[in-house]
Coordinates of all heavy atoms in Angstrom, one line a residue:
N98 N -133.6 85.9 167.5 CA -134.4 85.6 168.7 C -133.9 84.3 169.3 O -133.1 83.5 168.7 CB -135.9 85.4 168.3 CG -136.2 84.4 167.3 OD1 -135.9 83.2 167.5 ND2 -136.6 84.8 166.1
L99 N -134.3 84.0 170.5 CA -133.8 82.8 171.3 C -134.1 81.5 170.6 O -133.3 80.6 170.5 CB -134.4 82.8 172.7 CG -133.7 83.7 173.7 CD1 -134.5 83.6 175.0 CD2 -132.2 83.4 173.9
I100 N -135.3 81.4 170.0 CA -135.7 80.1 169.4 C -134.8 79.8 168.2 O -134.3 78.7 168.1 CB -137.2 80.2 168.9 CG1 -138.1 80.4 170.1 CG2 -137.5 78.9 168.1 CD1 -138.1 79.3 171.1
M101 N -134.5 80.8 167.4 CA -133.6 80.6 166.3 C -132.2 80.3 166.8 O -131.5 79.4 166.2 CB -133.6 81.8 165.4 CG -132.8 81.5 164.1 SD -133.0 82.9 162.9 CE -131.9 82.3 161.6
L102 N -131.8 80.9 167.9 CA -130.4 80.7 168.4 C -130.4 79.2 168.9 O -129.4 78.5 168.7 CB -130.2 81.6 169.6 CG -128.8 81.5 170.3 CD1 -127.7 82.0 169.3 CD2 -128.8 82.2 171.6
Y103 N -131.4 78.8 169.6 CA -131.4 77.4 170.2 C -131.4 76.4 169.0 O -130.7 75.3 169.1 CB -132.7 77.2 171.0 CG -132.7 77.9 172.3 CD1 -133.9 78.1 173.0 CD2 -131.6 78.5 172.9 CE1 -134.0 78.8 174.2 CE2 -131.6 79.2 174.0 CZ -132.8 79.4 174.7 OH -132.9 80.1 175.9
L104 N -132.1 76.6 168.0 CA -132.2 75.7 166.8 C -130.9 75.6 166.1 O -130.4 74.6 165.7 CB -133.3 76.1 165.9 CG -134.7 75.9 166.4 CD1 -135.7 76.5 165.4 CD2 -135.0 74.4 166.6
C105 N -130.3 76.8 165.9 CA -129.0 76.9 165.0 C -127.8 76.6 165.8 O -127.0 75.6 165.5 CB -128.9 78.3 164.4 SG -130.3 78.7 163.3
A106 N -127.5 77.4 166.9 CA -126.3 77.2 167.7 C -126.4 75.9 168.6 O -125.4 75.2 168.8 CB -126.1 78.4 168.5
G107 N -127.6 75.7 169.1 CA -127.8 74.5 169.9 C -127.9 73.2 169.2 O -127.0 72.4 169.2
L108 N -129.0 73.0 168.5 CA -129.3 71.7 167.9 C -128.4 71.5 166.6 O -127.8 70.4 166.5 CB -130.7 71.6 167.5 CG -131.7 71.7 168.7 CD1 -133.1 71.6 168.3 CD2 -131.3 70.7 169.8
L109 N -128.3 72.4 165.7 CA -127.6 72.2 164.4 C -126.1 72.1 164.6 O -125.5 71.1 164.2 CB -128.0 73.3 163.4 CG -127.4 73.1 162.0 CD1 -127.8 71.7 161.4 CD2 -127.9 74.2 161.1
V110 N -125.5 73.0 165.3 CA -124.1 73.0 165.5 C -123.7 71.8 166.4 O -122.8 71.1 166.2 CB -123.6 74.3 166.2 CG1 -122.1 74.2 166.6 CG2 -123.7 75.4 165.2
G111 N -124.6 71.5 167.5 CA -124.3 70.4 168.3 C -124.4 69.1 167.6 O -123.5 68.2 167.8
F112 N -125.4 68.9 166.7 CA -125.5 67.7 166.0 C -124.3 67.5 165.0 O -123.8 66.4 164.9 CB -126.8 67.6 165.2 CG -127.2 66.3 164.7 CD1 -128.0 65.4 165.5 CD2 -126.8 65.9 163.5 CE1 -128.3 64.1 165.0 CE2 -127.1 64.6 163.0 CZ -127.9 63.7 163.8
A113 N -123.9 68.6 164.4 CA -122.8 68.5 163.4 C -121.5 68.1 164.2 O -120.7 67.3 163.7 CB -122.6 69.8 162.7
D114 N -121.3 68.7 165.3 CA -120.1 68.5 166.1 C -120.1 67.0 166.6 O -119.0 66.3 166.5 CB -120.0 69.4 167.3 CG -118.6 69.7 167.8 OD1 -118.0 70.6 167.3 OD2 -118.2 69.0 168.7
G115 N -121.2 66.5 167.1 CA -121.3 65.2 167.6 C -121.1 64.1 166.6 O -120.5 63.1 166.8
A116 N -121.7 64.4 165.4 CA -121.6 63.4 164.3 C -120.1 63.2 163.9 O -119.7 62.1 163.5 CB -122.4 63.9 163.1
G117 N -119.3 64.3 163.9 CA -117.9 64.2 163.5 C -117.0 63.7 164.6 O -116.1 63.0 164.4
Y118 N -117.3 64.1 165.9 CA -116.4 63.9 167.0 C -116.2 62.4 167.3 O -115.1 61.9 167.2 CB -116.9 64.6 168.2 CG -116.3 64.2 169.5 CD1 -115.0 64.5 169.8 CD2 -117.0 63.4 170.5 CE1 -114.4 64.0 171.0 CE2 -116.4 63.0 171.6 CZ -115.1 63.3 171.9 OH -114.5 62.8 173.1
L119 N -117.3 61.7 167.7 CA -117.1 60.3 168.2 C -116.7 59.4 167.1 O -115.9 58.4 167.3 CB -118.3 59.9 169.0 CG -118.2 58.5 169.6 CD1 -117.1 58.4 170.6 CD2 -119.5 58.2 170.4
M120 N -117.3 59.6 166.0 CA -117.1 58.7 164.8 C -115.6 58.7 164.4 O -115.0 57.7 164.2 CB -118.0 59.0 163.7 CG -117.8 58.2 162.4 SD -118.3 59.1 160.9 CE -117.2 60.5 161.0
S121 N -115.1 59.9 164.2 CA -113.7 60.0 163.8 C -112.7 59.5 164.8 O -111.7 58.9 164.6 CB -113.4 61.4 163.3 OG -113.5 62.3 164.4
L122 N -113.1 59.8 166.1 CA -112.2 59.3 167.2 C -112.2 57.8 167.3 O -111.1 57.2 167.3 CB -112.8 59.9 168.5 CG -112.3 59.2 169.8 CD1 -110.8 59.4 170.0 CD2 -113.0 59.7 171.0
S123 N -113.4 57.2 167.2 CA -113.5 55.7 167.3 C -112.8 55.0 166.1 O -112.1 54.0 166.3 CB -114.9 55.2 167.4 OG -115.6 55.8 168.5
N124 N -113.0 55.6 164.9 CA -112.3 55.1 163.7 C -110.8 55.1 163.8 O -110.1 54.2 163.5 CB -112.8 55.9 162.5 CG -112.2 55.3 161.2 OD1 -112.5 54.2 160.8 ND2 -111.3 56.1 160.6
C125 N -110.3 56.2 164.4 CA -108.9 56.4 164.5 C -108.3 55.3 165.5 O -107.2 54.7 165.3 CB -108.5 57.8 165.0 SG -106.8 58.2 164.8
V126 N -109.0 55.2 166.7 CA -108.6 54.2 167.7 C -108.5 52.8 167.1 O -107.6 52.0 167.4 CB -109.5 54.2 168.9 CG1 -109.3 53.0 169.8 CG2 -109.4 55.5 169.7
K127 N -109.5 52.4 166.2 CA -109.5 51.1 165.6 C -108.2 50.9 164.7 O -107.8 49.7 164.5 CB -110.7 51.0 164.7 CG -112.0 50.9 165.5 CD -113.2 50.8 164.5 CE -114.5 51.0 165.2 NZ -115.6 51.1 164.2
W128 N -107.7 52.0 164.2 CA -106.5 51.8 163.3 C -105.3 51.4 164.2 O -104.3 51.0 163.6 CB -106.2 53.1 162.6 CG -106.9 53.2 161.2 CD1 -107.9 54.1 160.8 CD2 -106.5 52.5 160.0 NE1 -108.2 53.9 159.5 CE2 -107.4 52.9 159.0 CE3 -105.6 51.4 159.8 CZ2 -107.3 52.4 157.7 CZ3 -105.6 50.9 158.5 CH2 -106.4 51.4 157.5
F129 N -105.3 51.7 165.5 CA -104.1 51.5 166.3 C -104.5 50.6 167.5 O -104.5 51.1 168.7 CB -103.6 52.9 166.8 CG -103.0 53.8 165.7 CD1 -103.9 54.6 165.0 CD2 -101.7 53.8 165.4 CE1 -103.4 55.4 164.0 CE2 -101.2 54.6 164.4 CZ -102.1 55.4 163.7
P130 N -104.8 49.4 167.3 CA -105.3 48.5 168.4 C -104.2 48.3 169.5 O -104.5 48.0 170.6 CB -105.7 47.2 167.7 CG -104.9 47.2 166.4 CD -104.8 48.6 166.0
E131 N -102.9 48.5 169.1 CA -101.8 48.3 170.0 C -101.5 49.5 170.9 O -100.8 49.4 171.8 CB -100.6 47.8 169.3 CG -99.8 48.9 168.6 CD -100.4 49.4 167.3 OE1 -101.6 49.0 166.9 OE2 -99.8 50.2 166.6
R132 N -102.1 50.7 170.5 CA -101.8 51.9 171.2 C -103.1 52.8 171.4 O -103.1 54.0 171.1 CB -100.7 52.8 170.4 CG -99.3 52.2 170.7 CD -98.3 53.1 169.9 NE -98.3 52.7 168.5 CZ -97.6 53.3 167.6 NH1 -96.8 54.3 167.9 NH2 -97.6 53.0 166.3
K133 N -104.1 52.1 171.8 CA -105.4 52.8 171.9 C -105.4 54.0 172.8 O -106.0 55.0 172.5 CB -106.5 51.8 172.3 CG -106.8 50.7 171.3 CD -107.9 49.8 171.7 CE -107.6 48.9 172.9 NZ -108.6 47.9 173.1
G134 N -104.8 53.8 174.0 CA -104.7 54.9 174.9 C -104.0 56.2 174.4 O -104.5 57.3 174.5
L135 N -102.9 55.9 173.8 CA -102.1 57.1 173.2 C -102.8 57.8 172.1 O -102.9 59.0 172.0 CB -100.7 56.5 172.7 CG -99.8 57.6 172.0 CD1 -99.5 58.7 173.0 CD2 -98.6 56.9 171.5
I136 N -103.5 57.0 171.2 CA -104.2 57.6 170.1 C -105.4 58.4 170.6 O -105.7 59.4 170.1 CB -104.6 56.5 169.1 CG1 -103.4 55.8 168.5 CG2 -105.5 57.0 168.0 CD1 -102.4 56.8 167.9
S137 N -106.1 57.8 171.6 CA -107.2 58.6 172.2 C -106.7 59.9 172.8 O -107.4 60.9 172.7 CB -107.9 57.7 173.3 OG -108.6 56.7 172.8
A138 N -105.6 59.8 173.5 CA -105.0 61.0 174.1 C -104.7 62.1 173.0 O -104.9 63.3 173.2 CB -103.7 60.7 174.9
C139 N -104.2 61.6 171.8 CA -103.8 62.5 170.7 C -105.1 63.2 170.2 O -105.2 64.4 170.0 CB -103.1 61.8 169.6 SG -101.4 61.3 170.0
A140 N -106.1 62.4 169.9 CA -107.3 62.9 169.3 C -108.1 63.7 170.3 O -108.5 64.9 169.9 CB -108.2 61.7 168.8
I141 N -108.4 63.2 171.5 CA -109.2 64.0 172.4 C -108.4 65.2 173.0 O -108.9 66.2 173.3 CB -109.7 63.1 173.5 CG1 -110.6 62.0 172.9 CG2 -110.5 63.9 174.6 CD1 -111.1 61.0 173.9
G142 N -107.1 65.0 173.0 CA -106.2 66.2 173.4 C -106.3 67.3 172.4 O -106.4 68.5 172.7
A143 N -106.4 66.9 171.1 CA -106.6 67.9 170.0 C -108.0 68.6 170.1 O -108.1 69.8 169.9 CB -106.5 67.3 168.6
Y144 N -109.0 67.9 170.5 CA -110.3 68.4 170.8 C -110.3 69.5 171.9 O -110.8 70.5 171.8 CB -111.3 67.3 171.1 CG -112.8 67.7 171.1 CD1 -113.5 67.7 169.9 CD2 -113.4 67.9 172.3 CE1 -114.8 68.0 169.9 CE2 -114.8 68.2 172.3 CZ -115.5 68.3 171.1 OH -116.8 68.6 171.1
G145 N -109.5 69.1 173.0 CA -109.4 70.1 174.1 C -108.6 71.3 173.7 O -108.9 72.4 174.1
L146 N -107.5 71.1 172.9 CA -106.7 72.2 172.5 C -107.4 73.1 171.5 O -107.1 74.3 171.4 CB -105.4 71.7 171.8 CG -104.3 71.1 172.7 CD1 -103.2 70.5 171.9 CD2 -103.7 72.3 173.6
G147 N -108.4 72.5 170.8 CA -109.2 73.4 169.9 C -109.9 74.5 170.6 O -110.0 75.6 170.1
S148 N -110.4 74.2 171.8 CA -111.1 75.2 172.6 C -110.1 76.3 173.0 O -110.5 77.5 173.1 CB -111.8 74.6 173.9 OG -110.8 74.1 174.8
L149 N -108.9 75.9 173.3 CA -107.9 76.9 173.7 C -107.4 77.7 172.5 O -107.3 78.9 172.5 CB -106.7 76.2 174.3 CG -105.6 77.1 174.9 CD1 -106.1 78.0 176.0 CD2 -104.4 76.2 175.4
G150 N -107.1 77.0 171.4 CA -106.7 77.7 170.1 C -107.7 78.7 169.6 O -107.4 79.8 169.2
F151 N -109.0 78.2 169.6 CA -110.0 79.0 169.0 C -110.4 80.2 170.0 O -111.1 81.1 169.5 CB -111.2 78.2 168.6 CG -111.2 77.7 167.2 CD1 -110.5 76.6 166.8 CD2 -111.8 78.5 166.2 CE1 -110.5 76.2 165.5 CE2 -111.8 78.1 164.9 CZ -111.1 76.9 164.5
K152 N -110.0 80.0 171.2 CA -110.3 81.2 172.1 C -109.5 82.4 171.6 O -110.1 83.5 171.5 CB -109.8 80.8 173.5 CG -109.8 82.0 174.5 CD -109.1 81.7 175.8 CE -109.0 82.9 176.7 NZ -108.3 82.7 178.0
F153 N -108.3 82.2 171.2 CA -107.5 83.3 170.6 C -108.0 83.7 169.2 O -108.0 84.9 168.9 CB -106.0 82.9 170.6 CG -105.4 82.7 172.0 CD1 -105.2 81.4 172.4 CD2 -105.2 83.7 172.9 CE1 -104.6 81.1 173.6 CE2 -104.7 83.5 174.1 CZ -104.4 82.2 174.5
I154 N -108.3 82.7 168.4 CA -108.8 83.0 167.1 C -110.1 83.9 167.2 O -110.2 84.9 166.5 CB -109.1 81.7 166.3 CG1 -107.7 81.0 166.0 CG2 -109.8 82.0 165.0 CD1 -107.9 79.6 165.4
N155 N -111.0 83.4 168.0 CA -112.3 84.1 168.1 C -112.2 85.4 168.8 O -113.0 86.4 168.4 CB -113.4 83.2 168.8 CG -113.8 82.1 167.9 OD1 -113.7 82.1 166.7 ND2 -114.4 81.0 168.5
L156 N -111.4 85.6 169.8 CA -111.2 86.9 170.4 C -110.6 87.9 169.4 O -111.0 89.1 169.3 CB -110.2 86.8 171.6 CG -110.9 86.2 172.9 CD1 -109.8 86.0 173.9 CD2 -112.0 87.1 173.4
A157 N -109.6 87.4 168.5 CA -109.1 88.2 167.5 C -110.1 88.6 166.5 O -110.2 89.8 166.0 CB -107.9 87.5 166.8
L158 N -111.0 87.7 166.1 CA -112.1 88.0 165.1 C -113.0 89.0 165.7 O -113.4 90.0 165.0 CB -112.8 86.7 164.8 CG -112.0 85.7 163.9 CD1 -112.9 84.4 163.7 CD2 -111.7 86.3 162.5
L159 N -113.4 88.8 167.0 CA -114.3 89.8 167.6 C -113.7 91.2 167.7 O -114.5 92.2 167.7 CB -114.7 89.3 169.0 CG -115.7 88.1 169.1 CD1 -115.8 87.6 170.6 CD2 -117.1 88.6 168.7
S160 N -112.4 91.3 167.9 CA -111.8 92.6 168.0 C -111.7 93.3 166.6 O -111.6 94.6 166.6 CB -110.4 92.5 168.6 OG -109.5 91.8 167.7
H161 N -111.9 92.6 165.5 CA -111.8 93.2 164.2 C -113.1 93.2 163.4 O -113.2 94.0 162.5 CB -110.7 92.5 163.4 CG -109.3 92.8 163.9 ND1 -108.7 91.9 164.8 CD2 -108.4 93.8 163.6 CE1 -107.5 92.4 165.0 NE2 -107.3 93.5 164.4
F162 N -114.0 92.4 163.8 CA -115.2 92.2 163.0 C -116.5 92.3 163.9 O -116.4 92.2 165.1 CB -115.2 90.9 162.2 CG -114.1 90.7 161.3 CD1 -113.0 90.0 161.7 CD2 -114.1 91.3 160.0 CE1 -111.9 89.9 160.8 CE2 -113.0 91.2 159.1 CZ -111.9 90.5 159.5
S163 N -117.6 92.4 163.3 CA -118.9 92.4 164.0 C -119.1 91.0 164.5 O -118.5 90.0 164.1 CB -120.0 92.8 163.1 OG -120.2 91.8 162.1
L164 N -120.1 90.9 165.5 CA -120.5 89.6 166.0 C -120.9 88.6 164.9 O -120.5 87.5 164.8 CB -121.6 89.8 167.0 CG -122.2 88.5 167.6 CD1 -121.1 87.8 168.5 CD2 -123.4 88.8 168.5
E165 N -121.7 89.2 164.0 CA -122.3 88.3 162.9 C -121.1 87.8 162.0 O -121.1 86.6 161.6 CB -123.3 89.1 162.0 CG -124.6 89.4 162.7 CD -124.5 90.6 163.7 OE1 -123.4 91.3 163.7 OE2 -125.4 90.8 164.5
A166 N -120.2 88.7 161.6 CA -119.1 88.3 160.8 C -118.2 87.3 161.5 O -117.6 86.4 160.8 CB -118.3 89.6 160.3
T167 N -118.0 87.5 162.8 CA -117.2 86.6 163.6 C -117.7 85.1 163.5 O -117.0 84.2 163.3 CB -117.1 87.0 165.0 OG1 -116.4 88.3 165.0 CG2 -116.3 86.0 165.8
F168 N -119.1 85.0 163.7 CA -119.7 83.7 163.6 C -119.5 83.1 162.2 O -119.2 81.9 162.0 CB -121.2 83.7 163.9 CG -121.5 83.6 165.4 CD1 -122.1 84.7 166.0 CD2 -121.2 82.5 166.1 CE1 -122.4 84.6 167.4 CE2 -121.4 82.4 167.4 CZ -122.1 83.4 168.1
Q169 N -119.6 83.9 161.2 CA -119.4 83.4 159.8 C -118.0 83.0 159.5 O -117.7 81.9 158.9 CB -119.9 84.5 158.8 CG -121.4 84.8 158.8 CD -121.8 86.0 158.1 OE1 -121.0 86.5 157.2 NE2 -122.9 86.6 158.4
L170 N -117.0 83.8 160.0 CA -115.6 83.4 159.8 C -115.2 82.2 160.6 O -114.5 81.4 160.1 CB -114.7 84.6 160.1 CG -114.8 85.8 159.1 CD1 -114.2 87.0 159.7 CD2 -114.2 85.4 157.8
W171 N -115.7 82.2 161.8 CA -115.5 81.0 162.7 C -116.0 79.7 161.9 O -115.3 78.7 161.9 CB -116.2 81.2 164.0 CG -116.2 80.0 165.0 CD1 -115.4 78.9 164.9 CD2 -116.9 79.9 166.2 NE1 -115.6 78.1 166.0 CE2 -116.5 78.7 166.8 CE3 -117.9 80.7 166.8 CZ2 -117.1 78.2 168.0 CZ3 -118.4 80.3 168.0 CH2 -118.0 79.1 168.6
G172 N -117.2 79.8 161.4 CA -117.8 78.7 160.7 C -116.9 78.3 159.5 O -116.7 77.1 159.2
L173 N -116.4 79.3 158.7 CA -115.6 79.0 157.5 C -114.3 78.3 157.9 O -113.9 77.3 157.3 CB -115.3 80.3 156.8 CG -116.4 80.8 155.9 CD1 -116.0 82.2 155.3 CD2 -116.7 79.8 154.7
I174 N -113.7 78.8 159.0 CA -112.4 78.2 159.4 C -112.6 76.8 159.9 O -111.8 75.9 159.5 CB -111.7 79.1 160.5 CG1 -111.4 80.5 160.0 CG2 -110.5 78.4 161.1 CD1 -111.0 81.5 161.0
A175 N -113.6 76.6 160.8 CA -113.8 75.3 161.3 C -114.2 74.3 160.2 O -113.8 73.1 160.2 CB -114.9 75.3 162.4
M176 N -115.1 74.8 159.3 CA -115.5 73.9 158.2 C -114.3 73.5 157.3 O -114.2 72.3 157.0 CB -116.6 74.6 157.3 CG -117.1 73.8 156.2 SD -118.4 74.6 155.2 CE -117.5 76.0 154.5
A177 N -113.5 74.4 157.0 CA -112.3 74.1 156.2 C -111.4 73.1 156.8 O -110.9 72.2 156.2 CB -111.5 75.4 155.9
M178 N -111.2 73.2 158.1 CA -110.4 72.3 158.9 C -111.0 70.9 158.9 O -110.3 69.8 158.7 CB -110.1 72.8 160.3 CG -109.2 74.0 160.3 SD -108.9 74.6 162.0 CE -107.8 73.4 162.6

Side-chain angles (χ1 to χ4, degrees):
N98 57 66
L99 279 177
I100 298 300
M101 188 171 177
L102 182 71
Y103 293 162
L104 290 174
C105 301
L108 300 182
L109 185 56
V110 171
F112 194 90
D114 206 87
Y118 164 70
L119 183 57
M120 176 204 62
S121 60
L122 165 64
S123 301
N124 181 70
C125 194
V126 168
K127 291 177 194 175
W128 269 113
F129 295 85
E131 78 284 6
R132 281 180 284 176
K133 294 185 288 187
L135 177 62
I136 296 305
S137 289
C139 289
I141 299 178
Y144 191 81
L146 283 173
S148 64
L149 185 61
F151 268 86
K152 173 188 174 184
F153 298 106
I154 292 170
N155 285 340
L156 283 174
L158 292 174
L159 281 170
S160 67
H161 291 91
F162 300 98
S163 67
L164 177 65
E165 292 78 9
T167 295
F168 274 118
Q169 292 168 20
L170 290 168
W171 177 11
L173 280 173
I174 295 168
M176 180 177 69
M178 293 180 73

